[in-house]
Amino acid sequence: MTTWVLADTHFRDSNCLKFREFSTLGEMESAILANCRRLIKKEDIVYLLGDIAASKEGLSLARGIKGRKKI
């Protein structure tokens, strides 16, 4: 079991594109989620620290991350 800490994912927050190296929100979210799928296992603990999402749709994306999430 591994412990992970995620912060400032900003799912569904297009305003954050000004500060990141992605052209679209979909590209950014795909990269974050692909890395999470590659690294996090269902038995891992994942702390979600803040600025997770800008909408319910964004929270839905965060729910798709494997692991036992702590908010």
Side-chain angles (χ1 to χ4, degrees), residues 13-37:
D13 182 1
S14 58
N15 189 47
C16 72
L17 290 174
K18 296 180 217 172
F19 310 103
R20 298 197 177 176
E21 298 177 14
F22 298 99
S23 300
T24 68
L25 201 52
E27 180 185 347
M28 178 191 81
E29 293 165 347
S30 291
I32 293 169
L33 293 170
N35 285 329
C36 288
R37 279 192 296 274

Side-chain angles (χ1 to χ4, degrees), residues 8 28 32 42 49:
D8 299 313
M28 178 191 81
I32 293 169
K42 74 177 188 175
L49 294 186

Side-chain angles (χ1 to χ4, degrees), residues 38-58:
R38 183 172 52 87
L39 297 168
I40 300 171
K41 295 173 178 59
K42 74 177 188 175
E43 64 272 10
D44 292 346
I45 295 173
V46 181
Y47 287 94
L48 298 168
L49 294 186
D51 294 328
I52 299 164
S55 68
K56 287 181 182 180
E57 185 182 33

